[in-house]
Amino acid sequence: MARFLLPAGIEWLNPTKQITSIARSRSPIPGLRAPTTPCPFPPSAQRNLPFSPCKDCSFLRSRRPSLCKRRSEGVMAGGFRVLPLLILCSLFQGILGEEHQPNRPTERISGSAGDVLEDDPVGRLKVFVYELPSKYNKKILQKDPRCLNHMFAAEIYMHRFLLSSAVRTSNPEEADWFYTPVYTTCDLTPNGLPLPFKSPRMMRSAIELISTTWPYWNRTEGADHFFITPHDFGACFHYQEEKAIERGILHLLKRATLVQTFGQRNHVCLKDGSIVIPPYAPPQKMQAHLIPPDTPRSIFVYFRGLFYDVGNDPEGGYYARGARASVWENFKNNPLFDISTEHPTTYYEDMQRAVFCLCPLGWAPWSPRLVEAVVFGCIPVVIADDIVLPFADAIPWEEIGVFVAEEDVPKLDTILTSIPIEVILRKQRLLANPSMKQAMLFPQPAQSRDAFHQILNGLARKLPHEESVYLKSGQKILNWTAGPKGDLKPW
Amino acid sequence: MKPSLLTSQPSRRGSHRQADSGLGGEGGGGAASAAESVFRSPTAAFWIVIHGVCCVISVFLGFRFSRVVFVLLFSPSSTTTISSVFTSVPALHAAVTNTTTTTTQMRALVLASSPPPPPEAEQNSMKSRVVVGRHGIRIRPWTHPDSEETMRAHWIIERVQREQRLQHGVRSPRPLIVVTPTYARTFQTLHLTGLLHSLLLVPFPLTWLVVEAASSRSNDTAAFLARSGLHFLHVPFPHPMPEDSRYWRTTESRMRLHALRVVRDRGMDGIVVFADDSNVHSMELFDEAQRVKWMGAISMRILTHITGLSTSRGEDHKSPVPIQGPACNSSGHLVGWHTYNPLPNTGATFIGAGKTVLPAKMEWAGFMLNSRLLWREAKEKPDWVRDLDEVGKKGEDIDSPLCLLEDASFVEPLGNCGRKVLLWWLRAEARYDSNFPTGWTLEPVLEATAAANHSARIDASPELPSNSKLMAGNQDSRNNNIST
């Protein structure tokens, strides 16, 4: 979609410009929200799902008829047609005996795909875990056990979970999905940040190994395999966005399913059909800092983190696309905004005392702040254009968080204070739902409905594989010599 | 994990960025060759030259002149994997705000090799709205908060807190009966106003039972209470407050007992909280009061005057501010009491030329009881409570509500078993020779002898460090007309 940007100067000199942020609802019918964003995930991905989520009408299960209606319709046209639907919906609610008390502390999360957060993947799919030599996983972990605590630790914990899970099968013939346990994000600097330079070679080497040792890779050229690539830009294997875009996704993973934390619409590093997961946040540490729920929420907006990355972007404007700097410059004088770069020891407790928590992008659009905000019941204010949030097909993020376009950051205070109070209270109720919090966490040992199970649910929803993924004998799609020359060196 | 986030991910990138600074700056650049070194291709060298020229121009122009101009002018034929479909006017005359931030605009790469995409692009295209590269930092002209928005935000916060209270707080709050003994003196209105504002914040139904010692000035209090907006009960006490300050405490206790008799006779239902007018109360005290079953006790901090004024700070460190309240063992049961011990070596007992009220061993204020304890006929009334008429007979020590009980071990410790201080006990009064007129309206002529109509109430000397300030204040006030 083309957009014509006015010269920047005109934007700024017009402070009375109408708020165009996504957070506003302009529907004339109470309870029915106008469609303000397109379908939350790329339309090409919709083909991969066994249902059409944006056209599916799950209003029997949801409490709001707005989820049923076509999002592309205009409000006026939709309004007239929905009125009888509203009547029907209220009738159905009466028949089904759904509760409608305003004082309910939590609310059911019914995403556009229905109540899939509560699905149990056991029995719906079978996963075969390749036995790779320990140099791909255990030895790397032994060399640097810090990998268990950083935000990329999902790959390690997923491996451990799958090894002892009920979906694991030792018979590869009956497996639906194949998992390759290779820890590509465990090469850490002394500071604890992962270096991605060897990751493509490591991944390539692992794929070569599995393709020569087992026949299943060649059978589909990886289409029924999945890999966990939790690094900054997923399988592009670089921390710098331009470099990552240049590299693109590793060619050998072209047909595989990627489970990654990075998600941005229309971006090279997000493949269609990828499963976006939350970054790892230590669940025990967060549980240890819980405060009583009747502690009144007295902070309006809370944020702790960098605004300028003086080490790598001293001028500003590059880091976070200038959005974090904009937050600082516009709101450092505002008493409603408790924002600073400090490292307080009461970070988790403060989040539980805040109504809104900012989750702006950094060098990459995702961050553990979203997980923390959800766990602590603070409404996440996501400032990252075109971001794809974790489990977007199962969790209706639009209803839970507030999305602010990066260009609307100067009007953030107006946006947040003009959200109707019923909407805020509803978001808090949705956040209080324990299944929501559980879906964002990677607890040890795994519990039902946690992030591990949501990943499996996502994989199960992609089944059954289409017939076309099974290659005929002799058919080859992947080019094993594609990619930068440096990647072809053995690891 | 947190430190790694906050010390931004690419701190290891430093060295790499410097190497690529020639090319990497603006999102791919026109020469999309993967040249790592800047000297390998002539195109790269060309860009370096252009970059230098732009720097020089920027020095003259005063703002950053982007190389983008040349990209747009020369329309490179190479493409990158990312392409943006909006064009931006390279505003050479871009508005420079009053702040010194750079004001570059979005990059646009014109695709010369493929047909221009239609404005409503098909959804399958990989056209991204979001461009990598340097973006301007948007700052609005007036970065200060708008007062209306601040008000709305506070209203939102208040509504959220109310919802929290509804969900996690007390389900069916019981009404509170706040018993306050008071008497006419200079600071009476001051203290009562403070207490009134505290009580106005209490979210539960409340009755304010004000017992006032007899004096010729009772209309002030009545008028004050009528204006207060609270549900109150003004109970007169037949005896006046004695002149001798040693008996003030006893009289206050007798006033409280009188109030309890009123509660019993009227059959008032709720939780009795003893709030003295000069104390400072925390709102959590009233929340804790809801958890009282029969009788509860909380911790209170005694703020008596610490001797030596401001010059002997060293002494103050040694004697911590005393706390009165229940003492619990590790399993949360009441085992004893922390009491206030007014011995000389605690440094809190210096009585100067004036008079002061010292707290008793256990003050009434730290206790709250269920009004059904007082009723004559109440089901499930425990047997460890005495009959109200028996209490306070001659010679009995009524300094603490434990006198109402036969067995003090049934008192429930509240406020996290006495660990939270919810009340600050304080007796701060005006200078002992301060005269206060009716309604605070002063006659112009004052140097004359005290008029016979004024009741010569001599208040306690406060002995506060700000003694001198208080004197000055009072002297000034005598010369002005102050009316409430």
Side-chain angles (χ1 to χ4, degrees), chain A residues 119-137:
Chain A
D119 282 350
D120 189 13
V122 174
R124 291 171 59 198
L125 80 166
K126 291 245 169 278
V127 176
F128 177 72
V129 181
Y130 284 123
E131 293 271 341
L132 290 186
S134 58
K135 75 167 181 168
Y136 289 100
N137 31 57

Short mmCIF file of all heavy atoms in Angstrom, two decimals, chain A residues 119-137:
data_model
loop_
_atom_site.label_atom_id
_atom_site.label_comp_id
_atom_site.label_asym_id
_atom_site.label_seq_id
_atom_site.Cartn_x
_atom_site.Cartn_y
_atom_site.Cartn_z
N ASP A 119 -6.23 -25.41 23.88
CA ASP A 119 -6.14 -26.70 23.19
C ASP A 119 -5.00 -27.52 23.74
O ASP A 119 -3.99 -27.00 24.18
CB ASP A 119 -5.86 -26.47 21.70
CG ASP A 119 -7.12 -26.06 20.97
OD1 ASP A 119 -8.20 -26.15 21.57
OD2 ASP A 119 -7.02 -25.65 19.81
N ASP A 120 -5.16 -28.82 23.65
CA ASP A 120 -4.10 -29.70 24.10
C ASP A 120 -3.49 -30.36 22.87
O ASP A 120 -4.18 -31.06 22.13
CB ASP A 120 -4.69 -30.76 25.02
CG ASP A 120 -3.62 -31.57 25.69
OD1 ASP A 120 -2.44 -31.16 25.62
OD2 ASP A 120 -3.95 -32.61 26.27
N PRO A 121 -2.21 -30.13 22.65
CA PRO A 121 -1.63 -30.67 21.41
C PRO A 121 -1.38 -32.17 21.45
O PRO A 121 -1.19 -32.78 20.41
CB PRO A 121 -0.31 -29.92 21.28
CG PRO A 121 0.04 -29.55 22.67
CD PRO A 121 -1.24 -29.34 23.39
N VAL A 122 -1.34 -32.73 22.67
CA VAL A 122 -1.03 -34.17 22.75
C VAL A 122 -2.09 -34.95 22.00
O VAL A 122 -3.28 -34.81 22.26
CB VAL A 122 -0.97 -34.61 24.23
CG1 VAL A 122 -0.79 -36.10 24.32
CG2 VAL A 122 0.14 -33.88 24.94
N GLY A 123 -1.65 -35.80 21.12
CA GLY A 123 -2.61 -36.58 20.34
C GLY A 123 -2.90 -35.98 18.99
O GLY A 123 -3.47 -36.64 18.13
N ARG A 124 -2.53 -34.70 18.83
CA ARG A 124 -2.83 -34.08 17.54
C ARG A 124 -1.63 -34.09 16.62
O ARG A 124 -1.78 -33.82 15.43
CB ARG A 124 -3.29 -32.63 17.76
CG ARG A 124 -4.64 -32.58 18.43
CD ARG A 124 -5.00 -31.19 18.84
NE ARG A 124 -5.03 -30.30 17.71
CZ ARG A 124 -4.98 -28.97 17.80
NH1 ARG A 124 -4.86 -28.42 18.96
NH2 ARG A 124 -5.02 -28.23 16.73
N LEU A 125 -0.46 -34.32 17.16
CA LEU A 125 0.70 -34.36 16.27
C LEU A 125 1.75 -35.25 16.90
O LEU A 125 1.70 -35.55 18.09
CB LEU A 125 1.26 -32.96 16.03
CG LEU A 125 2.17 -32.32 17.06
CD1 LEU A 125 2.86 -31.13 16.46
CD2 LEU A 125 1.41 -31.90 18.28
N LYS A 126 2.71 -35.61 16.07
CA LYS A 126 3.82 -36.42 16.56
C LYS A 126 5.09 -35.76 16.07
O LYS A 126 5.20 -35.37 14.91
CB LYS A 126 3.74 -37.85 16.00
CG LYS A 126 2.59 -38.65 16.56
CD LYS A 126 3.11 -39.83 17.37
CE LYS A 126 2.04 -40.50 18.17
NZ LYS A 126 1.78 -39.81 19.43
N VAL A 127 6.05 -35.66 16.96
CA VAL A 127 7.31 -34.99 16.63
C VAL A 127 8.45 -35.98 16.80
O VAL A 127 8.53 -36.68 17.82
CB VAL A 127 7.53 -33.78 17.56
CG1 VAL A 127 8.86 -33.15 17.30
CG2 VAL A 127 6.41 -32.77 17.38
N PHE A 128 9.29 -36.04 15.81
CA PHE A 128 10.48 -36.88 15.91
C PHE A 128 11.68 -35.97 16.15
O PHE A 128 11.90 -35.01 15.41
CB PHE A 128 10.68 -37.69 14.63
CG PHE A 128 11.92 -38.52 14.65
CD1 PHE A 128 11.98 -39.65 15.44
CD2 PHE A 128 13.02 -38.17 13.89
CE1 PHE A 128 13.11 -40.43 15.47
CE2 PHE A 128 14.16 -38.94 13.90
CZ PHE A 128 14.22 -40.07 14.70
N VAL A 129 12.46 -36.27 17.18
CA VAL A 129 13.62 -35.45 17.51
C VAL A 129 14.87 -36.14 17.00
O VAL A 129 15.17 -37.27 17.39
CB VAL A 129 13.72 -35.25 19.03
CG1 VAL A 129 14.91 -34.37 19.37
CG2 VAL A 129 12.44 -34.64 19.57
N TYR A 130 15.58 -35.48 16.09
CA TYR A 130 16.81 -36.07 15.58
C TYR A 130 17.85 -36.15 16.68
O TYR A 130 17.99 -35.26 17.50
CB TYR A 130 17.38 -35.20 14.45
CG TYR A 130 16.66 -35.32 13.14
CD1 TYR A 130 16.11 -34.20 12.52
CD2 TYR A 130 16.52 -36.54 12.49
CE1 TYR A 130 15.47 -34.29 11.31
CE2 TYR A 130 15.87 -36.65 11.29
CZ TYR A 130 15.35 -35.51 10.70
OH TYR A 130 14.71 -35.60 9.50
N GLU A 131 18.63 -37.22 16.63
CA GLU A 131 19.73 -37.35 17.60
C GLU A 131 20.98 -36.80 16.97
O GLU A 131 21.65 -37.48 16.21
CB GLU A 131 19.95 -38.83 17.91
CG GLU A 131 18.83 -39.49 18.65
CD GLU A 131 19.02 -39.35 20.14
OE1 GLU A 131 20.18 -39.08 20.55
OE2 GLU A 131 18.04 -39.47 20.88
N LEU A 132 21.26 -35.57 17.25
CA LEU A 132 22.47 -34.99 16.69
C LEU A 132 23.63 -35.20 17.66
O LEU A 132 23.41 -35.30 18.86
CB LEU A 132 22.29 -33.49 16.46
CG LEU A 132 21.33 -33.09 15.36
CD1 LEU A 132 21.38 -31.59 15.16
CD2 LEU A 132 21.67 -33.78 14.06
N PRO A 133 24.85 -35.25 17.13
CA PRO A 133 26.00 -35.34 18.04
C PRO A 133 26.01 -34.14 18.98
O PRO A 133 25.53 -33.06 18.65
CB PRO A 133 27.21 -35.28 17.09
CG PRO A 133 26.70 -35.23 15.74
CD PRO A 133 25.23 -35.30 15.72
N SER A 134 26.59 -34.36 20.16
CA SER A 134 26.44 -33.33 21.18
C SER A 134 27.19 -32.05 20.83
O SER A 134 27.01 -31.04 21.50
CB SER A 134 26.91 -33.85 22.53
OG SER A 134 28.25 -34.27 22.43
N LYS A 135 27.99 -32.05 19.80
CA LYS A 135 28.67 -30.80 19.49
C LYS A 135 27.69 -29.75 19.01
O LYS A 135 27.98 -28.56 19.01
CB LYS A 135 29.77 -31.01 18.45
CG LYS A 135 29.27 -31.23 17.03
CD LYS A 135 30.44 -31.09 16.07
CE LYS A 135 29.97 -31.28 14.64
NZ LYS A 135 30.96 -30.91 13.66
N TYR A 136 26.50 -30.18 18.62
CA TYR A 136 25.50 -29.21 18.17
C TYR A 136 24.68 -28.66 19.31
O TYR A 136 24.04 -27.64 19.17
CB TYR A 136 24.54 -29.86 17.17
CG TYR A 136 25.18 -30.15 15.85
CD1 TYR A 136 25.63 -31.43 15.55
CD2 TYR A 136 25.35 -29.16 14.90
CE1 TYR A 136 26.23 -31.70 14.34
CE2 TYR A 136 25.94 -29.42 13.69
CZ TYR A 136 26.39 -30.69 13.42
OH TYR A 136 26.98 -30.95 12.22
N ASN A 137 24.63 -29.40 20.41
CA ASN A 137 23.78 -28.88 21.49
C ASN A 137 24.45 -28.96 22.84
O ASN A 137 24.80 -27.95 23.43
CB ASN A 137 22.41 -29.56 21.48
CG ASN A 137 22.47 -30.99 20.97
OD1 ASN A 137 23.20 -31.82 21.50
ND2 ASN A 137 21.72 -31.28 19.93
#
